[in-house]
Amino acid sequence: MKIVKSYIVVFFFGLLLFIFGCDNPAPTELVQDNSAQESPVQVQVLTKDTSNEYYSNGFDTTGVATTYSGTSDVVTISGVKVTVNNITTSSSLAQAVFFDKSHAVHTSNGGVMGYLTLAPGIVKFNNQRASKILYHLRFNDHGIHRDTVLGYQYILSQNSAIPFNFDYGSAISFQLDHMNGGMQYSFNIPTPEEITGRVDLTGKKANGNLNALLEWNASTLSNTKVVEIILGVMVKGTNTSYPLYKLSASDNGKLLVPPKLLNEIPFNKYDRFVFTFIRQFIIHHNEQGNDLTVYSQSIHSIILNIP
């Protein structure tokens, strides 16, 4: 169980930051017509060069982006499951990050990597107060690995003094009380149905005939139309993961991964696949002049040895 919890830490924060923190377009994007599907699957390349273990495009050594674009403040609530060796561990997370748009963080060549963050007051989810913790930015600046603190973020999880639980198919309240008697606002965030995935992995890497049939419980809600699946790998002998592709498909419960994506991976470096199923709502909320992007999501990551 301790090993499974270590995976939760990696995917809990890493995947959230990746999924909601990287607004820049991927290096390559295409639409693949999968004959096994009634509708096409959109494939987005997330990693440009797997030979570089510390990417310069916003990905760190965990394989997930750790920078937000800063174009809007971000609120995320998530229910997360990680399955390793047929053992599934569940957890929940709520997060809020507020940016100071007047203070950008630049690379040595003048590029913008992100923005300093603000701590405007007290943040609550379902009337539970979130903790204020440091927010780090890690990036590759012309071959130099940098780690800097940009300010604070707000976090509430199941490990909090009063545990936070993600209520699927319902709603979770968000509240911000500004300091010094300033403005206060609150609203409810709808939550998607819980997603539970299954991976049927066949073939062998040595024969170049790997196939992955993905199945999950299709949504019964009309407002959930698309499921995203992150195809990633883990470095041999470590818990370090890299997301390689993002697949977007109809939330109909079944998808055959294009075999080319699986069989062109450099298996000399990686020994496990990570398939992450994501069902989410994205809501743009403007409250008293504050531009918020709200993400509400159910995530299920499945880690499998590469045969």
mmCIF file of all heavy atoms in Angstrom, residues 9-11 14-15 17-18 47 49-67 137-140 143-147 232-244 269-270 272 274:
data_model
loop_
_atom_site.group_PDB
_atom_site.id
_atom_site.type_symbol
_atom_site.label_atom_id
_atom_site.label_comp_id
_atom_site.label_asym_id
_atom_site.label_seq_id
_atom_site.Cartn_x
_atom_site.Cartn_y
_atom_site.Cartn_z
ATOM 1 N N VAL A 9 0.903 10.356 -5.074
ATOM 2 C CA VAL A 9 1.559 11.656 -4.952
ATOM 3 C C VAL A 9 1.993 12.169 -6.315
ATOM 4 O O VAL A 9 1.787 13.330 -6.666
ATOM 5 C CB VAL A 9 2.763 11.572 -4.010
ATOM 6 C CG1 VAL A 9 3.540 12.880 -4.016
ATOM 7 C CG2 VAL A 9 2.311 11.244 -2.593
ATOM 8 N N VAL A 10 2.609 11.298 -7.116
ATOM 9 C CA VAL A 10 3.096 11.700 -8.437
ATOM 10 C C VAL A 10 1.948 12.144 -9.326
ATOM 11 O O VAL A 10 1.980 13.207 -9.936
ATOM 12 C CB VAL A 10 3.862 10.540 -9.109
ATOM 13 C CG1 VAL A 10 4.224 10.905 -10.535
ATOM 14 C CG2 VAL A 10 5.119 10.209 -8.317
ATOM 15 N N PHE A 11 0.909 11.313 -9.405
ATOM 16 C CA PHE A 11 -0.161 11.608 -10.349
ATOM 17 C C PHE A 11 -1.144 12.628 -9.807
ATOM 18 O O PHE A 11 -1.757 13.372 -10.572
ATOM 19 C CB PHE A 11 -0.893 10.313 -10.709
ATOM 20 C CG PHE A 11 -0.072 9.448 -11.596
ATOM 21 C CD1 PHE A 11 0.708 8.442 -11.065
ATOM 22 C CD2 PHE A 11 -0.043 9.663 -12.950
ATOM 23 C CE1 PHE A 11 1.492 7.653 -11.885
ATOM 24 C CE2 PHE A 11 0.734 8.873 -13.773
ATOM 25 C CZ PHE A 11 1.501 7.874 -13.237
ATOM 26 N N GLY A 14 0.918 16.008 -10.142
ATOM 27 C CA GLY A 14 1.506 16.135 -11.470
ATOM 28 C C GLY A 14 0.478 16.182 -12.576
ATOM 29 O O GLY A 14 0.500 17.063 -13.424
ATOM 30 N N LEU A 15 -0.475 15.236 -12.564
ATOM 31 C CA LEU A 15 -1.454 15.210 -13.629
ATOM 32 C C LEU A 15 -2.362 16.418 -13.594
ATOM 33 O O LEU A 15 -2.756 16.958 -14.620
ATOM 34 C CB LEU A 15 -2.284 13.923 -13.551
ATOM 35 C CG LEU A 15 -1.586 12.692 -14.114
ATOM 36 C CD1 LEU A 15 -2.387 11.444 -13.816
ATOM 37 C CD2 LEU A 15 -1.379 12.832 -15.612
ATOM 38 N N LEU A 17 -1.578 19.423 -12.604
ATOM 39 C CA LEU A 17 -0.848 20.552 -13.162
ATOM 40 C C LEU A 17 -0.679 20.422 -14.659
ATOM 41 O O LEU A 17 -0.728 21.410 -15.392
ATOM 42 C CB LEU A 17 0.525 20.672 -12.488
ATOM 43 C CG LEU A 17 0.477 21.124 -11.037
ATOM 44 C CD1 LEU A 17 1.865 21.018 -10.417
ATOM 45 C CD2 LEU A 17 -0.037 22.546 -10.925
ATOM 46 N N PHE A 18 -0.499 19.196 -15.119
ATOM 47 C CA PHE A 18 -0.378 19.013 -16.565
ATOM 48 C C PHE A 18 -1.691 19.315 -17.270
ATOM 49 O O PHE A 18 -1.744 20.081 -18.224
ATOM 50 C CB PHE A 18 0.059 17.590 -16.897
ATOM 51 C CG PHE A 18 -0.288 17.236 -18.309
ATOM 52 C CD1 PHE A 18 0.355 17.866 -19.350
ATOM 53 C CD2 PHE A 18 -1.291 16.340 -18.570
ATOM 54 C CE1 PHE A 18 0.007 17.581 -20.653
ATOM 55 C CE2 PHE A 18 -1.639 16.054 -19.863
ATOM 56 C CZ PHE A 18 -0.987 16.674 -20.904
ATOM 57 N N THR A 47 5.107 15.208 -25.792
ATOM 58 C CA THR A 47 6.543 15.194 -25.570
ATOM 59 C C THR A 47 7.270 15.226 -26.900
ATOM 60 O O THR A 47 7.032 14.376 -27.757
ATOM 61 C CB THR A 47 6.962 13.933 -24.783
ATOM 62 O OG1 THR A 47 6.337 13.970 -23.505
ATOM 63 C CG2 THR A 47 8.466 13.879 -24.601
ATOM 64 N N ASP A 49 10.766 15.196 -27.293
ATOM 65 C CA ASP A 49 12.044 14.478 -27.347
ATOM 66 C C ASP A 49 12.213 13.663 -26.081
ATOM 67 O O ASP A 49 12.577 14.185 -25.040
ATOM 68 C CB ASP A 49 13.198 15.474 -27.490
ATOM 69 C CG ASP A 49 14.560 14.786 -27.585
ATOM 70 O OD1 ASP A 49 14.585 13.549 -27.745
ATOM 71 O OD2 ASP A 49 15.579 15.480 -27.491
ATOM 72 N N THR A 50 11.944 12.357 -26.167
ATOM 73 C CA THR A 50 12.058 11.516 -24.984
ATOM 74 C C THR A 50 13.496 11.235 -24.595
ATOM 75 O O THR A 50 13.759 10.641 -23.552
ATOM 76 C CB THR A 50 11.344 10.163 -25.208
ATOM 77 O OG1 THR A 50 11.927 9.528 -26.344
ATOM 78 C CG2 THR A 50 9.868 10.359 -25.437
ATOM 79 N N SER A 51 14.451 11.651 -25.407
ATOM 80 C CA SER A 51 15.851 11.458 -25.042
ATOM 81 C C SER A 51 16.327 12.520 -24.054
ATOM 82 O O SER A 51 17.365 12.375 -23.429
ATOM 83 C CB SER A 51 16.743 11.500 -26.294
ATOM 84 O OG SER A 51 16.712 12.786 -26.890
ATOM 85 N N ASN A 52 15.535 13.590 -23.932
ATOM 86 C CA ASN A 52 15.868 14.657 -23.002
ATOM 87 C C ASN A 52 15.048 14.451 -21.740
ATOM 88 O O ASN A 52 13.835 14.565 -21.753
ATOM 89 C CB ASN A 52 15.538 16.025 -23.620
ATOM 90 C CG ASN A 52 15.881 17.173 -22.694
ATOM 91 O OD1 ASN A 52 16.291 16.966 -21.559
ATOM 92 N ND2 ASN A 52 15.706 18.384 -23.194
ATOM 93 N N GLU A 53 15.686 14.132 -20.641
ATOM 94 C CA GLU A 53 14.960 13.797 -19.431
ATOM 95 C C GLU A 53 14.559 15.024 -18.616
ATOM 96 O O GLU A 53 14.064 14.903 -17.504
ATOM 97 C CB GLU A 53 15.784 12.838 -18.567
ATOM 98 C CG GLU A 53 15.960 11.492 -19.217
ATOM 99 C CD GLU A 53 16.518 10.459 -18.272
ATOM 100 O OE1 GLU A 53 16.756 10.805 -17.097
ATOM 101 O OE2 GLU A 53 16.718 9.326 -18.694
ATOM 102 N N TYR A 54 14.798 16.203 -19.158
ATOM 103 C CA TYR A 54 14.299 17.405 -18.493
ATOM 104 C C TYR A 54 13.902 18.372 -19.599
ATOM 105 O O TYR A 54 14.709 19.064 -20.165
ATOM 106 C CB TYR A 54 15.375 18.031 -17.605
ATOM 107 C CG TYR A 54 14.823 18.915 -16.526
ATOM 108 C CD1 TYR A 54 14.751 18.454 -15.212
ATOM 109 C CD2 TYR A 54 14.364 20.193 -16.796
ATOM 110 C CE1 TYR A 54 14.249 19.256 -14.205
ATOM 111 C CE2 TYR A 54 13.851 20.993 -15.796
ATOM 112 C CZ TYR A 54 13.798 20.518 -14.505
ATOM 113 O OH TYR A 54 13.287 21.329 -13.511
ATOM 114 N N TYR A 55 12.640 18.380 -19.929
ATOM 115 C CA TYR A 55 12.172 19.057 -21.127
ATOM 116 C C TYR A 55 12.198 20.562 -20.986
ATOM 117 O O TYR A 55 12.034 21.108 -19.913
ATOM 118 C CB TYR A 55 10.744 18.598 -21.452
ATOM 119 C CG TYR A 55 10.672 17.140 -21.747
ATOM 120 C CD1 TYR A 55 10.140 16.258 -20.811
ATOM 121 C CD2 TYR A 55 11.180 16.628 -22.926
ATOM 122 C CE1 TYR A 55 10.098 14.905 -21.070
ATOM 123 C CE2 TYR A 55 11.137 15.275 -23.191
ATOM 124 C CZ TYR A 55 10.592 14.416 -22.266
ATOM 125 O OH TYR A 55 10.550 13.081 -22.504
ATOM 126 N N SER A 56 12.373 21.224 -22.124
ATOM 127 C CA SER A 56 12.382 22.680 -22.156
ATOM 128 C C SER A 56 11.031 23.248 -22.565
ATOM 129 O O SER A 56 10.887 24.441 -22.719
ATOM 130 C CB SER A 56 13.446 23.176 -23.154
ATOM 131 O OG SER A 56 13.186 22.679 -24.453
ATOM 132 N N ASN A 57 10.021 22.394 -22.759
ATOM 133 C CA ASN A 57 8.713 22.876 -23.180
ATOM 134 C C ASN A 57 7.710 22.912 -22.030
ATOM 135 O O ASN A 57 6.515 22.924 -22.238
ATOM 136 C CB ASN A 57 8.157 22.005 -24.311
ATOM 137 C CG ASN A 57 7.954 20.572 -23.875
ATOM 138 O OD1 ASN A 57 8.233 20.212 -22.742
ATOM 139 N ND2 ASN A 57 7.453 19.751 -24.779
ATOM 140 N N GLY A 58 8.192 22.930 -20.798
ATOM 141 C CA GLY A 58 7.297 23.032 -19.664
ATOM 142 C C GLY A 58 7.146 21.752 -18.881
ATOM 143 O O GLY A 58 6.488 21.725 -17.854
ATOM 144 N N PHE A 59 7.768 20.650 -19.339
ATOM 145 C CA PHE A 59 7.669 19.383 -18.634
ATOM 146 C C PHE A 59 8.911 19.161 -17.780
ATOM 147 O O PHE A 59 10.023 19.386 -18.219
ATOM 148 C CB PHE A 59 7.538 18.231 -19.634
ATOM 149 C CG PHE A 59 6.267 18.282 -20.421
ATOM 150 C CD1 PHE A 59 6.218 18.951 -21.624
ATOM 151 C CD2 PHE A 59 5.122 17.683 -19.945
ATOM 152 C CE1 PHE A 59 5.058 19.005 -22.361
ATOM 153 C CE2 PHE A 59 3.951 17.732 -20.672
ATOM 154 C CZ PHE A 59 3.917 18.406 -21.886
ATOM 155 N N ASP A 60 8.693 18.701 -16.570
ATOM 156 C CA ASP A 60 9.835 18.428 -15.704
ATOM 157 C C ASP A 60 10.098 16.935 -15.670
ATOM 158 O O ASP A 60 9.587 16.172 -16.476
ATOM 159 C CB ASP A 60 9.603 19.001 -14.299
ATOM 160 C CG ASP A 60 8.474 18.290 -13.554
ATOM 161 O OD1 ASP A 60 7.924 17.312 -14.094
ATOM 162 O OD2 ASP A 60 8.168 18.709 -12.435
ATOM 163 N N THR A 61 10.904 16.485 -14.719
ATOM 164 C CA THR A 61 11.305 15.080 -14.704
ATOM 165 C C THR A 61 10.185 14.138 -14.281
ATOM 166 O O THR A 61 10.347 12.926 -14.374
ATOM 167 C CB THR A 61 12.501 14.891 -13.754
ATOM 168 O OG1 THR A 61 12.197 15.480 -12.489
ATOM 169 C CG2 THR A 61 13.739 15.549 -14.330
ATOM 170 N N THR A 62 9.051 14.650 -13.823
ATOM 171 C CA THR A 62 7.905 13.779 -13.585
ATOM 172 C C THR A 62 7.077 13.633 -14.843
ATOM 173 O O THR A 62 6.109 12.888 -14.873
ATOM 174 C CB THR A 62 7.004 14.325 -12.467
ATOM 175 O OG1 THR A 62 6.423 15.562 -12.903
ATOM 176 C CG2 THR A 62 7.745 14.539 -11.181
ATOM 177 N N GLY A 63 7.449 14.386 -15.887
ATOM 178 C CA GLY A 63 6.741 14.279 -17.150
ATOM 179 C C GLY A 63 5.483 15.102 -17.235
ATOM 180 O O GLY A 63 4.669 14.900 -18.127
ATOM 181 N N VAL A 64 5.279 16.046 -16.327
ATOM 182 C CA VAL A 64 4.069 16.863 -16.353
ATOM 183 C C VAL A 64 4.446 18.323 -16.266
ATOM 184 O O VAL A 64 5.481 18.694 -15.719
ATOM 185 C CB VAL A 64 3.126 16.505 -15.193
ATOM 186 C CG1 VAL A 64 2.570 15.117 -15.358
ATOM 187 C CG2 VAL A 64 3.839 16.637 -13.858
ATOM 188 N N ALA A 65 3.585 19.151 -16.840
ATOM 189 C CA ALA A 65 3.868 20.585 -16.834
ATOM 190 C C ALA A 65 3.676 21.149 -15.448
ATOM 191 O O ALA A 65 2.743 20.794 -14.738
ATOM 192 C CB ALA A 65 2.958 21.300 -17.819
ATOM 193 N N THR A 66 4.553 22.042 -15.033
ATOM 194 C CA THR A 66 4.439 22.663 -13.718
ATOM 195 C C THR A 66 4.262 24.164 -13.840
ATOM 196 O O THR A 66 4.517 24.896 -12.908
ATOM 197 C CB THR A 66 5.682 22.371 -12.873
ATOM 198 O OG1 THR A 66 6.838 22.806 -13.590
ATOM 199 C CG2 THR A 66 5.791 20.912 -12.549
ATOM 200 N N THR A 67 3.847 24.639 -15.000
ATOM 201 C CA THR A 67 3.596 26.061 -15.179
ATOM 202 C C THR A 67 2.172 26.283 -15.639
ATOM 203 O O THR A 67 1.633 25.522 -16.434
ATOM 204 C CB THR A 67 4.543 26.671 -16.228
ATOM 205 O OG1 THR A 67 4.320 26.031 -17.481
ATOM 206 C CG2 THR A 67 5.979 26.515 -15.827
ATOM 207 N N LEU A 137 7.921 26.642 -9.327
ATOM 208 C CA LEU A 137 8.045 26.576 -10.778
ATOM 209 C C LEU A 137 9.369 25.906 -11.088
ATOM 210 O O LEU A 137 10.432 26.349 -10.666
ATOM 211 C CB LEU A 137 8.019 27.979 -11.393
ATOM 212 C CG LEU A 137 8.296 28.042 -12.902
ATOM 213 C CD1 LEU A 137 7.144 27.409 -13.671
ATOM 214 C CD2 LEU A 137 8.488 29.483 -13.350
ATOM 215 N N ARG A 138 9.326 24.790 -11.838
ATOM 216 C CA ARG A 138 10.523 24.076 -12.241
ATOM 217 C C ARG A 138 10.579 24.061 -13.756
ATOM 218 O O ARG A 138 9.592 23.735 -14.413
ATOM 219 C CB ARG A 138 10.517 22.646 -11.695
ATOM 220 C CG ARG A 138 10.518 22.573 -10.177
ATOM 221 C CD ARG A 138 10.682 21.137 -9.694
ATOM 222 N NE ARG A 138 9.608 20.276 -10.159
ATOM 223 C CZ ARG A 138 8.441 20.145 -9.542
ATOM 224 N NH1 ARG A 138 8.194 20.835 -8.447
ATOM 225 N NH2 ARG A 138 7.523 19.325 -10.026
ATOM 226 N N PHE A 139 11.732 24.412 -14.333
ATOM 227 C CA PHE A 139 11.848 24.453 -15.782
ATOM 228 C C PHE A 139 13.302 24.345 -16.193
ATOM 229 O O PHE A 139 14.225 24.490 -15.396
ATOM 230 C CB PHE A 139 11.219 25.740 -16.338
ATOM 231 C CG PHE A 139 11.851 27.013 -15.852
ATOM 232 C CD1 PHE A 139 12.810 27.667 -16.610
ATOM 233 C CD2 PHE A 139 11.488 27.562 -14.632
ATOM 234 C CE1 PHE A 139 13.403 28.840 -16.168
ATOM 235 C CE2 PHE A 139 12.066 28.739 -14.175
ATOM 236 C CZ PHE A 139 13.023 29.375 -14.945
ATOM 237 N N ASN A 140 13.491 24.078 -17.484
ATOM 238 C CA ASN A 140 14.813 23.967 -18.072
ATOM 239 C C ASN A 140 15.110 25.269 -18.814
ATOM 240 O O ASN A 140 14.448 25.592 -19.789
ATOM 241 C CB ASN A 140 14.851 22.774 -19.040
ATOM 242 C CG ASN A 140 16.236 22.535 -19.611
ATOM 243 O OD1 ASN A 140 17.086 23.416 -19.619
ATOM 244 N ND2 ASN A 140 16.463 21.323 -20.085
ATOM 245 N N GLY A 143 19.364 24.470 -20.712
ATOM 246 C CA GLY A 143 20.201 23.416 -20.137
ATOM 247 C C GLY A 143 20.410 23.515 -18.647
ATOM 248 O O GLY A 143 20.981 22.615 -18.034
ATOM 249 N N ILE A 144 19.962 24.609 -18.037
ATOM 250 C CA ILE A 144 20.099 24.774 -16.585
ATOM 251 C C ILE A 144 18.755 24.469 -15.933
ATOM 252 O O ILE A 144 17.747 25.077 -16.266
ATOM 253 C CB ILE A 144 20.546 26.203 -16.229
ATOM 254 C CG1 ILE A 144 21.885 26.515 -16.874
ATOM 255 C CG2 ILE A 144 20.641 26.364 -14.717
ATOM 256 C CD1 ILE A 144 22.347 27.951 -16.668
ATOM 257 N N HIS A 145 18.746 23.534 -14.990
ATOM 258 C CA HIS A 145 17.531 23.146 -14.301
ATOM 259 C C HIS A 145 17.261 24.127 -13.164
ATOM 260 O O HIS A 145 18.060 24.250 -12.247
ATOM 261 C CB HIS A 145 17.654 21.724 -13.756
ATOM 262 C CG HIS A 145 17.922 20.710 -14.827
ATOM 263 N ND1 HIS A 145 18.200 19.389 -14.547
ATOM 264 C CD2 HIS A 145 17.950 20.819 -16.178
ATOM 265 C CE1 HIS A 145 18.396 18.736 -15.690
ATOM 266 N NE2 HIS A 145 18.253 19.589 -16.689
ATOM 267 N N ARG A 146 16.128 24.804 -13.248
ATOM 268 C CA ARG A 146 15.815 25.836 -12.264
ATOM 269 C C ARG A 146 14.572 25.452 -11.471
ATOM 270 O O ARG A 146 13.647 24.834 -11.991
ATOM 271 C CB ARG A 146 15.620 27.186 -12.942
ATOM 272 C CG ARG A 146 16.836 27.657 -13.741
ATOM 273 C CD ARG A 146 16.679 29.106 -14.180
ATOM 274 N NE ARG A 146 17.778 29.550 -15.023
ATOM 275 C CZ ARG A 146 18.952 29.975 -14.574
ATOM 276 N NH1 ARG A 146 19.175 29.995 -13.256
ATOM 277 N NH2 ARG A 146 19.909 30.368 -15.404
ATOM 278 N N ASP A 147 14.580 25.858 -10.219
ATOM 279 C CA ASP A 147 13.437 25.642 -9.330
ATOM 280 C C ASP A 147 13.269 26.908 -8.507
ATOM 281 O O ASP A 147 14.157 27.285 -7.743
ATOM 282 C CB ASP A 147 13.691 24.438 -8.423
ATOM 283 C CG ASP A 147 12.458 24.064 -7.595
ATOM 284 O OD1 ASP A 147 11.681 24.966 -7.222
ATOM 285 O OD2 ASP A 147 12.281 22.869 -7.307
ATOM 286 N N GLY A 232 1.143 7.494 -21.180
ATOM 287 C CA GLY A 232 2.459 7.830 -20.668
ATOM 288 C C GLY A 232 3.285 6.591 -20.404
ATOM 289 O O GLY A 232 2.829 5.456 -20.584
ATOM 290 N N VAL A 233 4.528 6.808 -19.993
ATOM 291 C CA VAL A 233 5.457 5.724 -19.682
ATOM 292 C C VAL A 233 6.199 6.068 -18.403
ATOM 293 O O VAL A 233 6.246 7.221 -17.983
ATOM 294 C CB VAL A 233 6.480 5.506 -20.823
ATOM 295 C CG1 VAL A 233 5.821 4.850 -22.024
ATOM 296 C CG2 VAL A 233 7.148 6.814 -21.226
ATOM 297 N N MET A 234 6.800 5.038 -17.792
ATOM 298 C CA MET A 234 7.595 5.236 -16.585
ATOM 299 C C MET A 234 9.013 4.741 -16.838
ATOM 300 O O MET A 234 9.229 3.690 -17.447
ATOM 301 C CB MET A 234 6.973 4.516 -15.392
ATOM 302 C CG MET A 234 5.557 4.977 -15.099
ATOM 303 S SD MET A 234 4.945 4.451 -13.472
ATOM 304 C CE MET A 234 5.779 5.642 -12.416
ATOM 305 N N VAL A 235 9.977 5.519 -16.368
ATOM 306 C CA VAL A 235 11.388 5.199 -16.554
ATOM 307 C C VAL A 235 11.732 3.949 -15.749
ATOM 308 O O VAL A 235 11.296 3.784 -14.606
ATOM 309 C CB VAL A 235 12.272 6.382 -16.115
ATOM 310 C CG1 VAL A 235 13.749 6.022 -16.258
ATOM 311 C CG2 VAL A 235 11.940 7.624 -16.938
ATOM 312 N N LYS A 236 12.529 3.085 -16.350
ATOM 313 C CA LYS A 236 12.915 1.830 -15.695
ATOM 314 C C LYS A 236 13.518 2.080 -14.315
ATOM 315 O O LYS A 236 14.385 2.937 -14.149
ATOM 316 C CB LYS A 236 13.934 1.083 -16.554
ATOM 317 C CG LYS A 236 13.359 0.482 -17.837
ATOM 318 C CD LYS A 236 14.426 -0.282 -18.609
ATOM 319 C CE LYS A 236 13.860 -0.912 -19.864
ATOM 320 N NZ LYS A 236 14.882 -1.663 -20.620
ATOM 321 N N GLY A 237 13.026 1.316 -13.346
ATOM 322 C CA GLY A 237 13.593 1.364 -12.001
ATOM 323 C C GLY A 237 13.236 2.594 -11.195
ATOM 324 O O GLY A 237 13.804 2.814 -10.111
ATOM 325 N N THR A 238 12.306 3.424 -11.687
ATOM 326 C CA THR A 238 11.936 4.642 -10.970
ATOM 327 C C THR A 238 10.420 4.811 -10.992
ATOM 328 O O THR A 238 9.698 4.067 -11.648
ATOM 329 C CB THR A 238 12.578 5.892 -11.600
ATOM 330 O OG1 THR A 238 11.887 6.198 -12.829
ATOM 331 C CG2 THR A 238 14.050 5.671 -11.893
ATOM 332 N N ASN A 239 9.955 5.846 -10.271
ATOM 333 C CA ASN A 239 8.553 6.248 -10.334
ATOM 334 C C ASN A 239 8.381 7.484 -11.209
ATOM 335 O O ASN A 239 7.348 8.152 -11.158
ATOM 336 C CB ASN A 239 8.015 6.537 -8.934
ATOM 337 C CG ASN A 239 7.882 5.267 -8.114
ATOM 338 O OD1 ASN A 239 7.823 4.162 -8.652
ATOM 339 N ND2 ASN A 239 7.860 5.414 -6.804
ATOM 340 N N THR A 240 9.396 7.806 -12.010
ATOM 341 C CA THR A 240 9.351 8.970 -12.878
ATOM 342 C C THR A 240 8.526 8.659 -14.122
ATOM 343 O O THR A 240 8.775 7.671 -14.804
ATOM 344 C CB THR A 240 10.772 9.389 -13.306
ATOM 345 O OG1 THR A 240 11.522 9.713 -12.134
ATOM 346 C CG2 THR A 240 10.720 10.606 -14.214
ATOM 347 N N SER A 241 7.555 9.515 -14.410
ATOM 348 C CA SER A 241 6.656 9.273 -15.533
ATOM 349 C C SER A 241 6.732 10.396 -16.549
ATOM 350 O O SER A 241 7.045 11.536 -16.213
ATOM 351 C CB SER A 241 5.210 9.137 -15.038
ATOM 352 O OG SER A 241 4.792 10.343 -14.429
ATOM 353 N N TYR A 242 6.448 10.041 -17.807
ATOM 354 C CA TYR A 242 6.395 11.004 -18.892
ATOM 355 C C TYR A 242 5.086 10.821 -19.655
ATOM 356 O O TYR A 242 4.812 9.731 -20.144
ATOM 357 C CB TYR A 242 7.551 10.802 -19.877
ATOM 358 C CG TYR A 242 8.906 11.146 -19.347
ATOM 359 C CD1 TYR A 242 9.683 10.174 -18.718
ATOM 360 C CD2 TYR A 242 9.420 12.429 -19.474
ATOM 361 C CE1 TYR A 242 10.943 10.478 -18.235
ATOM 362 C CE2 TYR A 242 10.688 12.739 -18.991
ATOM 363 C CZ TYR A 242 11.437 11.767 -18.372
ATOM 364 O OH TYR A 242 12.671 12.072 -17.885
ATOM 365 N N PRO A 243 4.268 11.863 -19.799
ATOM 366 C CA PRO A 243 3.115 11.751 -20.686
ATOM 367 C C PRO A 243 3.558 11.938 -22.131
ATOM 368 O O PRO A 243 4.289 12.878 -22.442
ATOM 369 C CB PRO A 243 2.209 12.903 -20.228
ATOM 370 C CG PRO A 243 3.154 13.927 -19.711
ATOM 371 C CD PRO A 243 4.334 13.173 -19.129
ATOM 372 N N LEU A 244 3.179 11.043 -23.004
ATOM 373 C CA LEU A 244 3.601 11.109 -24.403
ATOM 374 C C LEU A 244 2.514 11.659 -25.329
ATOM 375 O O LEU A 244 2.786 12.475 -26.195
ATOM 376 C CB LEU A 244 4.024 9.725 -24.888
ATOM 377 C CG LEU A 244 5.167 9.061 -24.115
ATOM 378 C CD1 LEU A 244 5.455 7.681 -24.702
ATOM 379 C CD2 LEU A 244 6.416 9.926 -24.119
ATOM 380 N N LYS A 269 14.304 2.504 -22.482
ATOM 381 C CA LYS A 269 14.294 3.404 -21.327
ATOM 382 C C LYS A 269 13.105 3.183 -20.394
ATOM 383 O O LYS A 269 13.160 3.516 -19.216
ATOM 384 C CB LYS A 269 14.266 4.859 -21.803
ATOM 385 C CG LYS A 269 15.502 5.307 -22.559
ATOM 386 C CD LYS A 269 15.372 6.736 -23.023
ATOM 387 C CE LYS A 269 15.156 7.666 -21.849
ATOM 388 N NZ LYS A 269 15.085 9.089 -22.278
ATOM 389 N N TYR A 270 12.019 2.611 -20.927
ATOM 390 C CA TYR A 270 10.776 2.559 -20.164
ATOM 391 C C TYR A 270 10.293 1.125 -20.009
ATOM 392 O O TYR A 270 10.450 0.302 -20.912
ATOM 393 C CB TYR A 270 9.699 3.390 -20.868
ATOM 394 C CG TYR A 270 10.176 4.786 -21.214
ATOM 395 C CD1 TYR A 270 10.363 5.170 -22.541
ATOM 396 C CD2 TYR A 270 10.456 5.704 -20.217
ATOM 397 C CE1 TYR A 270 10.805 6.445 -22.860
ATOM 398 C CE2 TYR A 270 10.896 6.978 -20.523
ATOM 399 C CZ TYR A 270 11.075 7.342 -21.844
ATOM 400 O OH TYR A 270 11.524 8.597 -22.155
ATOM 401 N N ARG A 272 7.079 0.528 -18.080
ATOM 402 C CA ARG A 272 5.663 0.514 -17.703
ATOM 403 C C ARG A 272 4.880 1.562 -18.498
ATOM 404 O O ARG A 272 5.387 2.646 -18.776
ATOM 405 C CB ARG A 272 5.493 0.789 -16.200
ATOM 406 C CG ARG A 272 5.830 -0.396 -15.306
ATOM 407 C CD ARG A 272 6.003 0.035 -13.876
ATOM 408 N NE ARG A 272 7.239 0.828 -13.720
ATOM 409 C CZ ARG A 272 7.596 1.420 -12.601
ATOM 410 N NH1 ARG A 272 6.826 1.325 -11.535
ATOM 411 N NH2 ARG A 272 8.715 2.109 -12.532
ATOM 412 N N VAL A 274 1.446 4.005 -18.562
ATOM 413 C CA VAL A 274 0.481 4.666 -17.692
ATOM 414 C C VAL A 274 -0.669 5.143 -18.569
ATOM 415 O O VAL A 274 -0.474 5.981 -19.456
ATOM 416 C CB VAL A 274 1.091 5.868 -16.947
ATOM 417 C CG1 VAL A 274 0.068 6.452 -15.987
ATOM 418 C CG2 VAL A 274 2.357 5.468 -16.203
#
